[in-house]
Amino acid sequence: MAHPQPLARSLAVVALGCALATDAGAEDPFSVVCNKTNEISAISINELRRLFTGGIKQWDSGAVVRVGIIPSDVAETKYLAALLGVTTTELLSRIQQQVFKGEMRRPAVLRSSADCIAFARSDPGAVCLADARAALPLEARAVAVR
Amino acid sequence: MTLNAYLVRAAWLGLVSLSTERASAQGDRPTPPAPAGTTGVVRAAAARSAPSTAEEPPAAPAGQGAPPSPEATPERGAVAAPAVADAPPEPAPEFGGATFFDSPAGGHSQGASLKLYGDTELQAHHDDRWRANFATSHFELFTSADVGRLSFLSELMFEGQGHEIAVDLDRTQLTYLFANWLRVRAGRMHNAFGYYGDTYNHGNVYELTTSRPASIDEGGLLVPHVIGVAVDGTFDAGDIGSFSYDVQVADGRSLTPPPSTSPYVPDYKLVNVRLRWLEPSGFIIGINALRDAAPSSDLADPPQTHVLELCAGAHLDYLEHSYHVLVEAFAIRHESPRLATTTTYGGFAELGYQLGAFTPYVRPEWIRFPKTGDVLYQAAGSPYAGLRDHLDFRFGLRWQPLVELALKVEGQRLSQDGAHQELATVKAAFGF
C-alpha cells in the first residue's frame, strides 16, 4: 500500500524518539507484534490505522483481527497514537467509538509489553505493540512498519 | 494509578462483566510504568522473532530495570519466559477482571460487557424572551459480546421527552464475519445512509455537536433505523485505498403514523445500497440509493395508500489530522398514485478543527421542501407543515477532557421561512 503520510510518520517517530529514548540514535522503541501464524511481513501506517479502528477485520491467514491495547497514557499507546497521527485520547476514543458502532471487536485490555507478547503468542489474530527490546517467543513475531 | 487512568481502565473493561468464563478473575492492578530506560536499541525483526532457547535469559518485559512491579508475578514471569518449541502452551494470564486470551487456538469468547452512555443538558431558547430548561436526553445501556466470528450488540435507550422517559430498543444485532469482503448482520440497526447516521448512533460523547442533524434523527426525513438483514464488506484496492459496500433489506415504514420501522408492511421492503471509496489519506467518498414505501398522509389518497420513496445521497468525509469534515447531501422523491411527484432536498456540513482537547465547530443544515408540499413530511401537525425552507445553523465548542467525557457549549439559530429562533445548549455527554 502507498505510504499515505510519510511526513507525519517521520515527525511522530522523531518526536517520540526524542521523548522516549536516551541515546540520540534511537529508532522505533516499540514493535508491532502478532502471532507467528500470521504471515504478514510488513504493514503500512494506513493498514495499521485500519487494523486499530476496525477497517480490517480479518488477516490474510484467515484469523479474525483482535487488537490489544493498553488503555491509558503509557508509552506504548502514545507511540501507537503518534504513528497514527492522533493523540492518545483521540485514539482510545476512536476505538471505543468503533466498538460502539459495531465495526470492531472489543480490544484485549493489556497492561504492559509482556501482556502484548503473551497475547500475540496465544491468539492467531492478535496485533499489539510491545517494547522493541523484548525477546519474542516462538509463537509471536514482530512486523515491520513500512 | 491516577483517577484518569482508573476511569479509562474501568470503561474499557466494562462496568459489569457478564462473563461466566472466569468468575474468579483477579482484581485490578496498577498500570505499569512506561518502559523504563528505553534505549532505543532496535533489534532486527528477524532477530526478535528467532527461536529462543531454554539457555537464553528470560525475555525482558516492559519496565525492565525499574523497581519490581506487580507484573513481576510468577504468572507474568511464566509468560515472559523463553519459549521452547516443544513446550505445551502456558496458561494465559488473567488480569483486570477478565481473561481475553485463553485459547491458543483462538475462537474463544470474550464474554459480554455492559457500557453506559448518556447525556444531560441545559437548553435556553429565545422567543419573546429567554427561557431555559434542563433535560436528561438519553441514557443507554450498550451490551456487546463476541465469540469467534460471531458478535452481538444491543443498545437499549431511555430517551427523555420533556421530563418523561421513553424506552427504546435502539439497536440489537447479530453479526457474522465471513471475510473482510463479507459480513452479515441481522436485527435492528441504523440505516446505513450517508456517514453520520450509522457512525455516531446515539453515543453523544462521540458526536461533535449536541444532537444529530434533524434530517437523520428520529422524526426527521430519512428512516433512522431498519429491521432486517444487512451485508457489508471492504475490498482492498492497493495504492488507491479500499472500496466498501453496504446492502440492507428491511421492513419499511409502518402504515400507522408516526412513521416508524415495523413489520406491518410485508409487501414493501426497504432496500438501501451504499458504496464508498476509502482513500488512503483518510478521505471517504460515498453514495447511497434507497427505496422504501410509506403510508400517504394526504386525505386525497385512499386510506393506507403507499407512497413510493426513492432517496439518493452523497457524502464526503475527512476525519484525520485534527480536521473534522462531514458533508452530506440527499434528495428524496415521493411518488404517490394520485398526487404529484415531489422531491425534497437537504444536506448538512459539519466542520471542526481540534486544538488539543478542544474542538470549535459549525454545522449548517438545510432542507428545501417542494412547493406543493410533501405528502409524507408535511402532513397536518408535522413540524415541517407548510414550510418551504428549513435552516439550522449551529456553532459551538466541544471539550473532551477524558475519553469518557465530552462537554459542549453550542449556539443555534433555527430559521423556517424567515421566522427564526435562537437556542443555546450546554451539554455533558459520557460513556463509561
Side-chain angles (χ1 to χ4, degrees):
Chain A
M1 281 198 149
H3 200 301
Q5 294 139 6
L7 178 60
R9 185 188 171 222
S10 300
L11 290 173
V13 170
V14 169
L16 277 157
C18 293
L20 302 174
T22 56
D23 59 336
E27 288 183 48
D28 295 344
F30 299 99
S31 300
V32 175
V33 180
C34 65
N35 189 268
K36 72 165 184 181
T37 58
N38 191 333
E39 297 172 352
I40 191 167
S41 58
I43 194 169
S44 69
I45 296 294
N46 188 42
E47 288 169 329
L48 197 62
R49 178 188 296 110
R50 292 175 61 206
L51 280 169
F52 275 84
T53 53
I56 297 175
K57 299 176 174 63
Q58 177 180 287
W59 295 102
D60 289 344
S61 66
V64 177
V65 171
R66 189 173 291 277
V67 166
I69 196 163
I70 306 173
S72 59
D73 206 23
V74 298
E76 288 91 334
T77 310
K78 281 182 178 175
Y79 182 77
L80 175 63
L83 273 180
L84 304 183
V86 296
T87 64
T88 304
T89 300
E90 197 175 351
L91 173 65
L92 297 177
S93 182
R94 281 191 186 192
I95 292 174
Q96 287 199 11
Q97 184 185 350
Q98 291 301 95
V99 173
F100 181 62
K101 184 183 172 185
E103 281 300 304
M104 71 181 288
R105 292 157 180 272
R106 295 201 320 275
V109 177
L110 311 177
R111 296 183 307 121
S112 65
S113 287
D115 271 3
C116 168
I117 294 168
F119 175 48
R121 73 185 295 192
S122 63
D123 192 314
V127 58
C128 54
L129 262 72
D131 188 341
R133 299 173 306 156
L136 298 180
L138 281 172
E139 297 88 349
R141 54 192 292 268
V143 179
V145 178
R146 292 195 295 263
Chain B
M1 178 185 289
T2 64
L3 176 61
N4 188 356
Y6 185 85
L7 289 174
V8 169
R9 174 74 50 77
W12 277 84
L13 294 176
L15 291 183
V16 177
S17 173
L18 302 179
S19 172
T20 57
E21 292 186 333
R22 299 286 176 178
S24 60
Q26 297 175 2
D28 199 1
R29 296 180 189 172
T31 301
T38 303
T39 60
V41 175
V42 180
R43 301 180 185 180
R48 292 199 302 273
S49 301
S52 54
T53 67
E55 286 71 37
E56 289 177 356
Q64 187 180 46
S69 69
E71 284 70 45
T73 62
E75 180 181 58
R76 184 71 56 204
V79 170
V84 179
D86 294 331
E90 295 166 9
E94 294 182 21
F95 51 85
T99 296
F100 293 98
F101 38 97
D102 55 358
S103 168
H108 54 277
S109 170
Q110 194 169 302
S113 76
L114 178 65
K115 285 179 68 72
L116 310 176
Y117 290 93
D119 52 75
T120 185
E121 69 180 25
L122 171 64
Q123 185 172 73
H125 54 95
H126 183 260
D127 297 312
D128 52 336
R129 64 185 178 86
W130 282 97
R131 297 180 175 88
N133 61 282
F134 293 96
T136 300
S137 305
H138 303 100
F139 175 71
E140 301 176 47
L141 303 176
F142 176 74
T143 307
S144 65
D146 58 73
V147 53
R149 295 175 178 274
L150 191 65
S151 59
F152 167 82
L153 70 80
S154 181
E155 189 180 355
L156 181 64
M157 185 161 66
F158 301 85
E159 288 185 275
Q161 297 174 350
H163 285 185
E164 303 297 322
I165 298 292
V167 181
D168 181 18
L169 183 58
D170 201 68
R171 286 188 294 162
T172 182
Q173 61 189 56
L174 196 61
T175 304
Y176 190 85
L177 175 68
F178 288 93
N180 280 324
W181 55 271
L182 180 61
R183 190 174 64 149
V184 179
R185 287 178 292 160
R188 179 178 165 98
M189 61 199 86
H190 272 115
N191 187 0
F193 194 98
Y195 181 86
Y196 201 109
D198 66 336
T199 294
Y200 294 103
N201 299 294
H202 289 286
N204 189 261
V205 67
Y206 303 126
E207 293 179 85
L208 186 59
T209 57
T210 61
S211 60
R212 296 159 68 85
S215 53
I216 62 171
D217 202 1
E218 297 283 352
L221 307 187
L222 295 161
V223 176
H225 299 98
V226 296
I227 303 174
V229 296
V231 294
D232 67 87
T234 304
F235 296 90
D236 195 349
D239 291 346
I240 62 170
S242 58
F243 294 92
S244 72
Y245 73 94
D246 295 80
V247 178
Q248 293 175 317
V249 179
D251 286 330
R253 287 184 165 105
S254 168
L255 282 172
T256 305
S260 63
T261 52
S262 84
Y264 300 124
V265 197
D267 297 332
Y268 293 88
K269 295 299 179 194
L270 178 151
V271 179
N272 177 36
V273 178
R274 179 173 66 188
L275 302 175
R276 281 174 170 171
W277 173 34
L278 312 172
E279 196 266 340
S281 62
F283 281 99
I284 300 172
I285 299 171
I287 55 173
N288 266 95
L290 182 150
R291 180 189 185 279
D292 191 13
S296 171
S297 60
D298 195 290
L299 295 177
D301 272 349
Q304 299 194 341
T305 294
H306 288 99
V307 175
L308 180 64
E309 182 173 85
L310 300 171
C311 306
H315 57 279
L316 168 67
D317 312 288
Y318 184 77
L319 297 160
E320 304 292 340
H321 301 286
S322 302
Y323 291 98
H324 178 107
V325 178
L326 307 179
V327 181
E328 300 194 23
F330 58 84
I332 304 174
R333 179 183 175 93
H334 284 153
E335 297 180 359
S336 173
R338 299 172 62 155
L339 300 172
T341 296
T342 59
T343 304
T344 298
Y345 300 94
F348 62 89
E350 190 171 277
L351 311 172
Y353 186 79
Q354 186 176 342
L355 301 164
F358 295 90
T359 307
Y361 63 83
V362 296
R363 187 178 77 195
E365 180 182 13
W366 171 72
I367 301 171
R368 163 153 283 198
F369 294 98
K371 283 181 181 176
T372 56
D374 185 89
V375 68
L376 184 62
Y377 303 137
Q378 297 186 283
S382 160
Y384 300 118
L387 276 185
R388 178 80 166 125
D389 286 299
H390 170 94
L391 179 63
D392 179 351
F393 181 79
R394 300 175 184 220
F395 62 96
L397 182 68
R398 178 181 186 268
W399 176 40
Q400 186 171 22
L402 300 171
V403 175
E404 296 80 13
L405 179 66
L407 303 172
K408 305 168 189 184
V409 180
E410 184 177 274
Q412 179 183 3
R413 182 182 174 95
L414 196 59
S415 301
Q416 295 186 326
D417 287 344
H420 57 82
Q421 181 182 43
E422 287 74 34
L423 300 97
T425 306
V426 179
K427 174 170 271 191
F430 60 84
F432 290 102

